[in-house]
Amino acid sequence: MLLHLSTWPEIEAFLERSRTIVIPIGSNEQHGPTGLLGTDWLCPEIIAHEAQKTADILVGPTFNIGMAQHHLGFPGTISLRPSTFIAAIGDWVRSLAGHGFDHIYFLNGHGGNIATIEAAFSELYVEASFVGRPRGFALKLRSWWDLPGVSELAQRQFPVGHGSHATPSEIAITQWAYPDAIKHANYAPQIAPTGPIREALDFRKRFPDGRMGSDPGLATPDKGGELVALATAALIADIAAFAADPVFGL
Amino acid sequence: MLLHLSTWPEIEAFLERSRTIVIPIGSNEQHGPTGLLGTDWLCPEIIAHEAQKTADILVGPTFNIGMAQHHLGFPGTISLRPSTFIAAIGDWVRSLAGHGFDHIYFLNGHGGNIATIEAAFSELYVEASFVGRPRGFALKLRSWWDLPGVSELAQRQFPVGHGSHATPSEIAITQWAYPDAIKHANYAPQIAPTGPIREALDFRKRFPDGRMGSDPGLATPDKGGELVALATAALIADIAAFAADPVFGL
Amino acid sequence: MLLHLSTWPEIEAFLERSRTIVIPIGSNEQHGPTGLLGTDWLCPEIIAHEAQKTADILVGPTFNIGMAQHHLGFPGTISLRPSTFIAAIGDWVRSLAGHGFDHIYFLNGHGGNIATIEAAFSELYVEASFVGRPRGFALKLRSWWDLPGVSELAQRQFPVGHGSHATPSEIAITQWAYPDAIKHANYAPQIAPTGPIREALDFRKRFPDGRMGSDPGLATPDKGGELVALATAALIADIAAFAADPVFGL
Amino acid sequence: MLLHLSTWPEIEAFLERSRTIVIPIGSNEQHGPTGLLGTDWLCPEIIAHEAQKTADILVGPTFNIGMAQHHLGFPGTISLRPSTFIAAIGDWVRSLAGHGFDHIYFLNGHGGNIATIEAAFSELYVEASFVGRPRGFALKLRSWWDLPGVSELAQRQFPVGHGSHATPSEIAITQWAYPDAIKHANYAPQIAPTGPIREALDFRKRFPDGRMGSDPGLATPDKGGELVALATAALIADIAAFAADPVFGL
Amino acid sequence: MLLHLSTWPEIEAFLERSRTIVIPIGSNEQHGPTGLLGTDWLCPEIIAHEAQKTADILVGPTFNIGMAQHHLGFPGTISLRPSTFIAAIGDWVRSLAGHGFDHIYFLNGHGGNIATIEAAFSELYVEASFVGRPRGFALKLRSWWDLPGVSELAQRQFPVGHGSHATPSEIAITQWAYPDAIKHANYAPQIAPTGPIREALDFRKRFPDGRMGSDPGLATPDKGGELVALATAALIADIAAFAADPVFGL
Amino acid sequence: MLLHLSTWPEIEAFLERSRTIVIPIGSNEQHGPTGLLGTDWLCPEIIAHEAQKTADILVGPTFNIGMAQHHLGFPGTISLRPSTFIAAIGDWVRSLAGHGFDHIYFLNGHGGNIATIEAAFSELYVEASFVGRPRGFALKLRSWWDLPGVSELAQRQFPVGHGSHATPSEIAITQWAYPDAIKHANYAPQIAPTGPIREALDFRKRFPDGRMGSDPGLATPDKGGELVALATAALIADIAAFAADPVFGL
């Protein structure tokens, strides 16, 4: 069930049977010479939208801009400051918690988001923790590649050249979902370098075409489909386990 | 050209021929018993995506959560505080301006966004205005119903019962684009009441099913298609005029 | 009744018979070669102070600095950032609501304030809307030229050359109230140009002497007096209607 | 010269001969059973406006709402949070500094403002201090009773019962300037108690009628006139000394 | 009793017998050619740690970075912006108040902190004052030199050349506590100049070696020991008086 | 070299030979029935202070309060909100970078700090990344247990019952450094439970005595000494490697 294609009475009815919601969250940022700028928000959106086709899961709108400051040296990247990102996640959660959702699950598509999303969760919890009152909801962050079995499959598919940014696994997923948007380029070197992540100018100097440790040329739509199938099943199970975990203090 | 389905080298190339970008911006909020929660971000997305099929226009990701505090009494609504909305728009613009975009056009789908978006523009401009240095970009807000000719068409299509929220025109547009998500209900009264907009509890009391002055039962996919066709053409012309308007102070 | 010339026991007594207060709000900004820098806060102050002479209305201190970033290219302009303006309006309202005022009416004198004041109202309401509790007050923004009948009179007085900034109507009002501060200059052109409002440098380039579409030379103290008389009567009626409108959710 | 009754060309001309401006700053808060709510912004306004009648001094609009949280237990008090106050003072200064004012003098009327105004100055300076660049302006805070000779005169006028809030000296000044707004009451006790300042409820408990250590019944318009005359002369001298003090680092 | 060397059950037990806590607060900033960068946080820490050896006082961790923007022209200075300082003090107090501490005493070591700490207190109180609910705690700021008798002793010890920054009294205290870190230099001039405090570049120009009005060469460890002994006794008495003062409104 | 026991000329001299500084950063929070509240800031302080005894390393003041919202259910815990923590880290870095430090190394003692510190780094970098200018410094976060070899030693020392909070390794380090503050208690159960971290009330319910998965009874001062010795050597090497890593974009 997609929230944005539902009406408010339909959500009101859903809340009668479940108080859990899934928010795909990612980033809009360069993904090397052939990766789509939307890769990191498209991947969790693709997986979550697949999941709700077969399970009674409510999927909210996609949070499509995250923390990508290090990629700003490449055109098309859009980033929030961490402080803005924290404020915005806070308002999404405040809105949803006000409706009675008490298990809010963020399916993440960007490693660079993780620290700030965790900080945003703490920023929400601390309002209650300072005053010794219950907040009454549980927040969970899960990156799609951390769903059980997914990174193992990716390592089997891409034993060499997976890397950490513009990886063949994420590009394969977008190829499967958007076959008309498959791009090609020569990669030089075939496998990109690795190194630390700092400010944008430093990043572009270290990673001239935007890739980190990866060879996106290995991606195929079929491998993307395998990843989506496995991730979708794992997501459904992961949400069920989360929904069953109590929130103490209520 | 859709930014999120493009690569950074493609955006770099686009910047050689144009420094204008379009951002669909809306809200995720209740739209009465039959309107989709995504209506206000889907409408500008639909129109902008149509426009880039026939014109060399760059369309960014959709900014899908806006200022909808008054709708929070209805499940499924997600709202940013105005201060968060201002910060987030600021970061989008800072990111895009950093890449060289100097004409940033927001195609809006929610009346309740207008005040805060205008405030966000001023928040960006004032950084330069305080110190007497040029900011170097122009920002434009246009709601799709204010594109030349659009509200005239809507008034011809719906001379009675158009209203101001959950209008038949916006619902018709989503019906045209998402025919599988057309919903039905009995409206009582047929035309919803009108009144002032204040906090959420007051709003729900005044507008029990969420509509304001409208009869969404008048919407049809065909009328939606007519609105999209007209709005798309008007958008292309409006962007061209905006792009031609100089930014003084550079 | 002027709050700043009253004592707290007098306000306590007023609250026994009314919970409505009027705040004149404006801006301190250039108004062309002959308009006073204080024009936009003087006009609502003049009208509100007149109104409380004949009606049992409580008028608070004047909020004299608003959002005028686009005028910062002209000496004497003082502007708040929108985020500061929102915070300050919030604290005024929090203070007044804490005393029991539940209808707070802002009589505005500056078009450039409108968006941010509306955003400030939403910032206040959303605190309650997120948590489903009543805020318990109603906020109203009314620009003096939007009081019933006022802009019609101004159009009759100045059928040509009214324009939108440094208008003869606002200058006439200050001439009526501050006859010792009437200034003279040659206007070239007689009617100023029009155009979009962006950052300060761009504004000064487009509007070299600060006027927008206006011929302030048409202003006279007598016309100002007519405007004040009409606006004062309209304000008294408008406040009465507002005070009678219930706040739901209490 | 009053900025708000001047035009921008007049301010431009003033900047040719001086880069110093005076801002009256105060608070709108309870002043006991007979003191005006506006006392703390009226006093510096009265003195500064007097001063500009005989000296070539530019006086800006009055900053009329300050930090008065402890008085919020009494109706009519309006307070900014310190964080809001800091932001607003910052924007006033940024606006004025942008026009070329490099000596900005705040004539204060409220003891409770002092800490936050000093913090606001540091908040402005630190922007430059972090990066080792000159800010280029000097800010000065002077409470009117700290002008040379003023508190000595007040002590001579009111050797007993001056106190620290709702003092006979400040009330005398408003009596001199607003003789039609002189209020009367029986004071019990004749001299109010003293004690620490904390939150509003604690304050009202300790100081039931709002006075701190004072007997406002001693105030007379004549004594107010003496205070104004002395303060006005001292202000003119103090501004001259400030204007002559260089700003290093330019 | 030092909080950081205690366990949570020990603090729980302490709260059974007292709800008062002492926080040493200072600044890390240049103190002339021979003063330690830590002087301003070491001094209150030294005195508070001494006091808890003989009295049943709970001393929290030292708040070691304060508002020192004017010293940023000298290497080693670390400063918070006032807005950050206010936020951080707020969170310390919120944490402690949440545990039941209702008398929180800040023993300060830096004059430049005073304004911002007072503003931080008001920022905390105003949350309650706006809504007419009790905050329920009392905050007290005391600089160590303002403890009864201390500045009188310092004036006797250093009748000439005490000054206001890098004073012989504060340096003597650190010499007594950290004899291995005593530094020597030639002072030219022997007694440093005085003047206003503004931004960092201006400060370094006016006070080339960092001292203000002081001759630190007068400091000796013995004089430091005398100051510590007196301040420690005075602190114990001051805390007892504060703890006995009720918080109204509970 | 300890910054707080140095003078500004000594830091100026240090900057001639190195532009790297180490900041111990931790948290003040409950550590179970026997762990010190200061454990998480004492551990990195102990290690860093040891390291500077044998290597030419500059160690700044300890940042002793971090993000510990989940521990606020236990008396003595003090936590910053993530937003405050980000602001404060920012000001420390801005201060140090202003002096010319371009490699700033945070030695961390609290797992709960990691997300927010990383977010703080991004908040600093993004200021430069938005505008395409170099920030010019590198920031590094290293938790002491992630120094090469340290967690391997801890696993050898405590193969069972190490856990993740109030671990025997961190308690052993404080026992080694503060032998007078060793505390004893009966643990029930001997090894604490594990589970997710959410708001404070939920945390106390899941972890009644504050420990997570650990048996602190295994700690001894000797084992602490071994950990400190290994960590100290590893820290010196890690800092040297960091200092040698260039900052691109300068």
Side-chain angles (χ1 to χ4, degrees):
Chain A
M1 187 175 177
L2 297 175
L3 185 138
H4 68 280
L5 297 184
S6 306
T7 65
W8 73 259
E10 289 170 338
I11 304 303
E12 197 168 62
F14 180 85
L15 279 161
E16 294 293 315
R17 60 187 193 274
S18 168
R19 295 187 167 264
T20 299
I21 187 167
V22 182
I23 305 292
I25 190 166
S27 175
N28 194 84
E29 63 185 45
Q30 69 86 14
H31 272 76
T34 55
L36 306 183
L37 281 152
T39 299
D40 280 359
W41 61 270
L42 292 172
C43 286
E45 182 178 280
I46 292 163
I47 295 165
H49 285 209
E50 281 298 301
Q52 59 87 41
K53 291 178 182 169
T54 59
D56 186 21
I57 289 170
L58 179 62
V59 179
T62 298
F63 197 124
N64 54 15
I65 303 294
M67 212 306 294
Q69 68 83 20
H70 42 304
H71 296 298
L72 282 166
F74 297 88
T77 300
I78 303 175
S79 179
L80 301 182
R81 286 167 291 169
S83 54
T84 304
F85 200 15
I86 288 171
I89 292 169
D91 289 352
W92 284 57
V93 169
R94 285 181 195 98
S95 298
L96 294 169
H99 299 315
F101 292 102
D102 57 17
H103 284 73
I104 304 175
Y105 183 107
F106 286 86
L107 183 66
N108 178 47
H110 174 46
N113 279 354
I114 294 173
T116 305
I117 295 174
E118 292 286 3
F121 288 0
S122 297
E123 186 86 7
L124 283 157
Y125 288 139
V126 76
E127 296 178 16
S129 298
F130 272 144
V131 294
R133 282 199 292 267
R135 201 66 164 92
F137 53 70
L139 306 173
K140 185 179 179 70
L141 172 63
R142 177 74 83 176
S143 297
W144 62 262
W145 55 87
D146 286 333
L147 286 165
V150 173
S151 61
E152 291 78 1
L153 172 58
Q155 287 304 317
R156 285 196 304 274
Q157 291 177 327
F158 313 106
V160 175
H162 187 270
S164 61
H165 184 67
T167 65
S169 60
E170 60 189 347
I171 288 176
I173 290 175
T174 60
Q175 288 181 340
W176 175 79
Y178 295 89
D180 295 343
I182 298 177
K183 314 293 168 87
H184 300 284
N186 291 323
Y187 302 102
Q190 193 67 30
I191 297 181
T194 62
I197 295 176
R198 293 174 186 155
E199 61 183 280
L201 286 183
D202 182 276
F203 187 97
R204 185 149 187 176
K205 178 88 172 185
R206 292 177 189 269
F207 313 104
D209 72 0
R211 296 173 297 141
M212 297 181 75
S214 68
D215 175 4
L218 302 168
T220 68
D222 283 353
K223 289 179 181 166
E226 293 169 17
L227 287 161
V228 170
L230 180 59
T232 298
L235 174 63
I236 292 168
D238 204 41
I239 291 168
F242 175 53
D245 190 24
V247 178
F248 292 113
L250 278 174
Chain B
M1 186 174 178
L2 297 176
L3 185 138
H4 69 280
L5 296 184
S6 306
T7 65
W8 73 258
E10 289 170 338
I11 303 302
E12 197 168 64
F14 180 85
L15 279 161
E16 294 294 315
R17 60 187 194 274
S18 169
R19 296 187 165 264
T20 299
I21 187 168
V22 181
I23 305 293
I25 190 165
S27 176
N28 193 85
E29 63 186 44
Q30 69 86 13
H31 272 76
T34 55
L36 307 183
L37 281 153
T39 299
D40 280 358
W41 60 269
L42 292 172
C43 287
E45 182 178 279
I46 292 162
I47 295 164
H49 285 209
E50 282 297 301
Q52 58 88 40
K53 291 178 184 169
T54 59
D56 186 21
I57 289 170
L58 180 62
V59 179
T62 299
F63 198 123
N64 54 15
I65 303 294
M67 213 305 294
Q69 69 82 22
H70 43 303
H71 296 297
L72 282 166
F74 297 89
T77 300
I78 304 175
S79 179
L80 300 181
R81 285 167 292 170
S83 55
T84 304
F85 199 16
I86 289 172
I89 293 169
D91 289 352
W92 285 55
V93 170
R94 286 181 194 99
S95 297
L96 294 169
H99 300 315
F101 291 102
D102 57 17
H103 285 73
I104 304 175
Y105 183 109
F106 286 86
L107 183 66
N108 178 48
H110 174 47
N113 279 354
I114 293 172
T116 305
I117 296 174
E118 292 286 2
F121 289 0
S122 296
E123 187 86 8
L124 283 157
Y125 288 139
V126 76
E127 296 177 17
S129 298
F130 272 145
V131 293
R133 282 199 291 267
R135 201 66 165 92
F137 54 70
L139 306 172
K140 185 179 180 70
L141 172 64
R142 176 74 82 176
S143 298
W144 62 261
W145 55 85
D146 285 333
L147 286 165
V150 173
S151 61
E152 291 77 2
L153 172 57
Q155 286 304 317
R156 284 196 305 274
Q157 291 177 326
F158 314 106
V160 175
H162 187 270
S164 61
H165 183 67
T167 65
S169 59
E170 59 189 347
I171 287 176
I173 290 174
T174 61
Q175 288 181 339
W176 175 80
Y178 295 89
D180 294 342
I182 298 177
K183 315 292 168 87
H184 299 284
N186 291 323
Y187 303 102
Q190 194 67 31
I191 297 181
T194 62
I197 295 176
R198 293 174 187 154
E199 60 182 283
L201 286 183
D202 183 276
F203 188 97
R204 186 149 185 177
K205 178 87 172 185
R206 292 176 188 271
F207 313 104
D209 71 0
R211 296 173 298 142
M212 297 181 74
S214 68
D215 175 4
L218 302 169
T220 68
D222 284 354
K223 289 178 181 167
E226 292 168 18
L227 287 161
V228 170
L230 180 59
T232 299
L235 174 63
I236 292 169
D238 204 41
I239 292 168
F242 175 53
D245 190 24
V247 178
F248 292 113
L250 280 172
Chain C
M1 187 175 176
L2 297 175
L3 185 138
H4 69 280
L5 296 183
S6 306
T7 65
W8 72 259
E10 289 170 338
I11 303 303
E12 197 168 62
F14 180 85
L15 279 160
E16 294 294 315
R17 60 188 193 274
S18 169
R19 295 187 166 264
T20 299
I21 187 168
V22 181
I23 305 293
I25 191 166
S27 175
N28 193 85
E29 63 185 45
Q30 69 85 13
H31 272 76
T34 56
L36 306 183
L37 280 152
T39 299
D40 280 358
W41 60 270
L42 293 171
C43 287
E45 181 177 281
I46 292 163
I47 296 164
H49 285 210
E50 281 299 301
Q52 59 86 41
K53 291 178 182 169
T54 59
D56 186 21
I57 290 169
L58 179 62
V59 179
T62 299
F63 198 123
N64 54 16
I65 303 295
M67 212 306 293
Q69 68 83 19
H70 43 302
H71 296 298
L72 282 167
F74 297 89
T77 300
I78 304 175
S79 179
L80 301 182
R81 286 168 291 169
S83 54
T84 304
F85 200 16
I86 289 171
I89 292 169
D91 289 352
W92 284 56
V93 170
R94 286 181 193 99
S95 298
L96 295 168
H99 300 315
F101 292 101
D102 58 16
H103 284 73
I104 305 175
Y105 182 108
F106 287 85
L107 182 66
N108 178 48
H110 175 46
N113 279 354
I114 294 172
T116 305
I117 295 175
E118 293 286 4
F121 289 180
S122 297
E123 186 86 8
L124 283 156
Y125 289 138
V126 76
E127 296 177 16
S129 298
F130 272 144
V131 293
R133 282 199 291 267
R135 201 63 165 96
F137 53 70
L139 306 173
K140 185 179 179 70
L141 172 64
R142 176 75 82 178
S143 298
W144 62 260
W145 56 85
D146 285 332
L147 286 164
V150 173
S151 59
E152 291 77 1
L153 172 57
Q155 287 303 319
R156 285 196 304 273
Q157 291 176 329
F158 314 107
V160 175
H162 188 270
S164 61
H165 184 67
T167 64
S169 60
E170 61 189 346
I171 287 176
I173 290 174
T174 61
Q175 287 180 341
W176 175 79
Y178 294 90
D180 294 343
I182 298 176
K183 314 293 168 86
H184 300 283
N186 291 323
Y187 302 102
Q190 193 66 32
I191 298 181
T194 62
I197 295 176
R198 294 175 186 155
E199 61 183 280
L201 286 184
D202 183 276
F203 187 97
R204 185 149 185 177
K205 178 88 173 187
R206 292 177 189 270
F207 313 104
D209 72 359
R211 296 173 297 141
M212 296 181 75
S214 69
D215 175 5
L218 302 168
T220 69
D222 283 354
K223 289 177 181 167
E226 293 169 17
L227 286 161
V228 170
L230 180 60
T232 298
L235 175 63
I236 293 168
D238 203 41
I239 292 168
F242 175 54
D245 189 25
V247 177
F248 292 114
L250 278 175
Chain D
M1 187 175 177
L2 297 175
L3 184 138
H4 69 279
L5 296 184
S6 306
T7 64
W8 74 258
E10 289 170 338
I11 304 302
E12 196 168 64
F14 180 85
L15 279 160
E16 295 293 315
R17 59 187 193 273
S18 169
R19 296 187 165 263
T20 299
I21 187 168
V22 181
I23 305 292
I25 189 165
S27 176
N28 193 85
E29 63 186 44
Q30 69 86 11
H31 271 77
T34 56
L36 307 182
L37 281 152
T39 299
D40 281 358
W41 60 270
L42 293 172
C43 286
E45 181 177 281
I46 292 163
I47 295 164
H49 285 208
E50 281 298 302
Q52 59 87 41
K53 290 178 182 169
T54 60
D56 186 20
I57 289 169
L58 179 62
V59 179
T62 299
F63 198 123
N64 54 15
I65 303 294
M67 211 306 294
Q69 69 82 20
H70 42 303
H71 297 297
L72 282 167
F74 298 89
T77 300
I78 304 174
S79 179
L80 300 182
R81 285 167 290 169
S83 54
T84 304
F85 200 15
I86 288 172
I89 293 169
D91 289 353
W92 284 55
V93 170
R94 285 181 194 98
S95 298
L96 294 168
H99 300 315
F101 292 102
D102 57 18
H103 284 73
I104 304 175
Y105 182 108
F106 287 86
L107 183 65
N108 178 48
H110 174 46
N113 278 356
I114 294 172
T116 306
I117 296 175
E118 292 286 3
F121 288 0
S122 296
E123 186 86 6
L124 283 157
Y125 289 139
V126 77
E127 295 178 17
S129 298
F130 272 145
V131 293
R133 282 199 291 267
R135 202 65 165 92
F137 53 69
L139 306 172
K140 186 180 179 70
L141 172 64
R142 177 74 83 177
S143 297
W144 62 261
W145 55 85
D146 285 332
L147 286 165
V150 173
S151 60
E152 291 77 2
L153 172 57
Q155 286 304 318
R156 285 197 304 273
Q157 291 176 327
F158 314 107
V160 175
H162 188 270
S164 62
H165 184 66
T167 65
S169 60
E170 60 188 347
I171 287 176
I173 290 174
T174 61
Q175 288 181 339
W176 174 80
Y178 295 89
D180 295 342
I182 298 177
K183 315 292 168 86
H184 300 284
N186 291 323
Y187 303 102
Q190 194 66 32
I191 297 181
T194 62
I197 296 176
R198 293 174 188 155
E199 60 182 283
L201 286 184
D202 183 276
F203 187 97
R204 185 148 186 178
K205 178 88 172 185
R206 293 177 188 270
F207 313 105
D209 71 359
R211 296 173 298 140
M212 297 181 75
S214 69
D215 175 4
L218 303 168
T220 68
D222 283 354
K223 289 178 181 166
E226 293 169 17
L227 287 162
V228 170
L230 181 59
T232 299
L235 175 63
I236 293 168
D238 204 42
I239 292 168
F242 175 54
D245 190 24
V247 178
F248 293 114
L250 279 174
Chain E
M1 186 174 177
L2 297 176
L3 185 138
H4 68 281
L5 296 184
S6 305
T7 65
W8 74 259
E10 289 169 337
I11 303 303
E12 196 168 63
F14 180 86
L15 279 161
E16 295 294 315
R17 59 188 194 272
S18 169
R19 296 189 165 264
T20 299
I21 187 168
V22 182
I23 304 293
I25 190 165
S27 175
N28 193 84
E29 63 186 43
Q30 69 85 13
H31 272 76
T34 56
L36 306 183
L37 281 152
T39 299
D40 280 358
W41 59 270
L42 292 172
C43 287
E45 182 177 280
I46 291 163
I47 294 164
H49 284 209
E50 281 298 301
Q52 60 87 41
K53 291 178 183 169
T54 60
D56 186 21
I57 289 169
L58 179 62
V59 179
T62 299
F63 197 123
N64 54 14
I65 303 295
M67 212 305 294
Q69 69 82 21
H70 42 303
H71 296 297
L72 282 166
F74 298 89
T77 301
I78 304 175
S79 178
L80 300 181
R81 285 168 291 169
S83 55
T84 304
F85 200 16
I86 288 171
I89 292 169
D91 289 352
W92 284 56
V93 170
R94 285 181 195 99
S95 298
L96 294 169
H99 300 315
F101 292 103
D102 58 17
H103 285 73
I104 304 175
Y105 182 109
F106 287 86
L107 183 65
N108 178 48
H110 174 47
N113 279 354
I114 294 172
T116 305
I117 296 175
E118 293 287 3
F121 289 0
S122 297
E123 186 86 7
L124 283 156
Y125 289 138
V126 77
E127 295 177 16
S129 299
F130 273 144
V131 293
R133 282 199 291 267
R135 201 63 165 95
F137 54 69
L139 306 173
K140 186 179 178 70
L141 172 64
R142 177 73 82 177
S143 298
W144 62 262
W145 56 85
D146 285 333
L147 286 165
V150 173
S151 61
E152 292 76 3
L153 173 57
Q155 286 304 317
R156 286 197 303 274
Q157 290 177 328
F158 313 107
V160 175
H162 187 270
S164 61
H165 184 67
T167 66
S169 60
E170 60 188 348
I171 287 176
I173 289 175
T174 61
Q175 287 180 338
W176 175 79
Y178 295 89
D180 295 342
I182 298 177
K183 315 292 169 88
H184 300 284
N186 291 323
Y187 302 103
Q190 194 65 34
I191 298 181
T194 62
I197 295 176
R198 293 174 186 156
E199 61 182 283
L201 286 184
D202 182 277
F203 187 97
R204 185 149 187 178
K205 177 89 173 184
R206 292 176 188 271
F207 313 105
D209 72 359
R211 296 173 297 141
M212 297 180 74
S214 69
D215 175 4
L218 301 169
T220 68
D222 284 354
K223 289 178 181 166
E226 293 168 17
L227 287 162
V228 170
L230 181 59
T232 298
L235 174 62
I236 293 168
D238 203 41
I239 291 168
F242 176 53
D245 190 24
V247 177
F248 293 113
L250 278 174
Chain F
M1 187 175 178
L2 297 175
L3 184 138
H4 69 279
L5 296 184
S6 306
T7 65
W8 72 259
E10 289 170 337
I11 303 303
E12 197 169 63
F14 180 85
L15 278 160
E16 294 294 314
R17 60 188 193 272
S18 169
R19 294 188 167 263
T20 299
I21 187 168
V22 181
I23 304 293
I25 190 165
S27 176
N28 193 86
E29 63 185 44
Q30 70 85 12
H31 272 76
T34 55
L36 307 183
L37 280 152
T39 299
D40 280 358
W41 59 270
L42 292 172
C43 287
E45 182 177 280
I46 291 163
I47 295 164
H49 284 210
E50 281 299 301
Q52 59 87 40
K53 291 178 183 169
T54 59
D56 186 22
I57 290 169
L58 179 62
V59 179
T62 299
F63 197 124
N64 54 15
I65 303 295
M67 212 306 294
Q69 68 82 21
H70 42 304
H71 296 297
L72 282 166
F74 297 90
T77 301
I78 304 174
S79 179
L80 300 181
R81 285 168 291 169
S83 55
T84 304
F85 200 15
I86 289 171
I89 292 169
D91 289 353
W92 284 56
V93 170
R94 285 180 195 100
S95 298
L96 294 169
H99 300 315
F101 292 102
D102 57 17
H103 284 73
I104 304 175
Y105 183 108
F106 287 86
L107 183 65
N108 179 48
H110 174 47
N113 279 355
I114 294 172
T116 305
I117 296 175
E118 292 286 3
F121 289 0
S122 296
E123 186 86 6
L124 282 157
Y125 289 138
V126 76
E127 296 177 16
S129 298
F130 272 145
V131 294
R133 282 198 291 267
R135 201 63 165 94
F137 53 70
L139 306 172
K140 185 180 180 70
L141 171 65
R142 176 74 82 176
S143 298
W144 62 261
W145 56 86
D146 285 333
L147 287 165
V150 173
S151 60
E152 291 77 2
L153 173 57
Q155 286 304 318
R156 285 197 304 274
Q157 292 177 328
F158 313 106
V160 175
H162 187 270
S164 61
H165 184 67
T167 65
S169 59
E170 60 189 347
I171 287 176
I173 290 175
T174 61
Q175 287 180 339
W176 175 79
Y178 294 89
D180 295 341
I182 297 177
K183 315 291 168 88
H184 299 284
N186 291 324
Y187 302 101
Q190 194 64 34
I191 297 181
T194 62
I197 295 177
R198 294 174 186 155
E199 60 182 283
L201 286 184
D202 182 275
F203 187 97
R204 185 149 187 177
K205 178 89 173 183
R206 293 177 188 269
F207 313 105
D209 71 0
R211 296 173 297 141
M212 297 182 74
S214 68
D215 175 4
L218 303 168
T220 68
D222 282 354
K223 288 179 182 167
E226 292 168 18
L227 287 161
V228 170
L230 180 59
T232 299
L235 174 63
I236 293 169
D238 204 42
I239 292 168
F242 176 53
D245 190 25
V247 178
F248 292 114
L250 280 173

